[in-house]
Amino acid sequence: VYSTIVLTTSLIPVGLFVLIRVVLYDIRAFRIGRGTPEQEDARVEASEQAMWACLLLSYLVLPTVSMTQFRGLNCVDFESGHAYLRVDTSVWCDGESDEYSRLLALDVPLIAIY
């Protein structure tokens, strides 16, 4: 269902951020060590590289993630008087719909985080 798509699309970049942090900074910083000014400079450089990689990733994924999240709020009215989610017409856009309530409970906080 669409809430799974929203969750997956939103959390994969978070996992990639963590992976970038671990690979580009944590492992390198552990190997570099501490103490000398050269080591501290190398740690700062590793931190900056991880930051730039995360910034690039956010630039690349933000349009897709935000589009997916906002589609979860887009309902269409039919002549029958009922509104359905435009991207998944099996989801009824009503306060009584458990599926739509679950989608909103997931989607709105993710939109605020992004």
Side-chain angles (χ1 to χ4, degrees):
V1 186
Y2 198 71
S3 58
T4 307
I5 294 170
V6 169
L7 186 64
T8 304
T9 305
S10 300
L11 292 183
I12 285 176
V14 173
L16 292 174
F17 284 124
V18 170
L19 185 66
I20 287 171
R21 162 70 194 235
V22 169
V23 170
L24 287 182
Y25 179 71
D26 292 343
I27 293 173
R28 288 178 63 194
F30 179 75
R31 287 183 178 172
I32 292 168
R34 292 182 181 258
T36 67
E38 292 82 17
Q39 288 174 321
E40 293 304 318
D41 289 343
R43 289 173 70 89
V44 168
E45 182 181 339
S47 174
E48 289 174 355
Q49 286 177 352
M51 179 193 67
W52 283 109
C54 287
L55 186 62
L56 176 65
L57 178 63
S58 66
Y59 177 77
L60 294 174
V61 301
L62 184 63
T64 303
V65 171
S66 61
M67 183 177 60
T68 303
Q69 291 171 342
F70 282 111
R71 281 184 179 165
L73 303 176
N74 189 6
C75 295
V76 61
D77 292 319
F78 286 98
E79 291 178 9
S80 64
H82 295 291
Y84 295 91
L85 195 61
R86 185 176 299 269
V87 293
D88 184 0
T89 54
S90 69
V91 178
W92 185 24
C93 295
D94 188 3
E96 297 174 7
S97 170
D98 290 337
E99 212 170 316
Y100 189 64
S101 297
R102 196 173 325 120
L103 175 63
L104 287 179
L106 179 71
D107 201 17
V108 172
L110 286 173
I111 289 172
I113 290 170
Y114 270 88

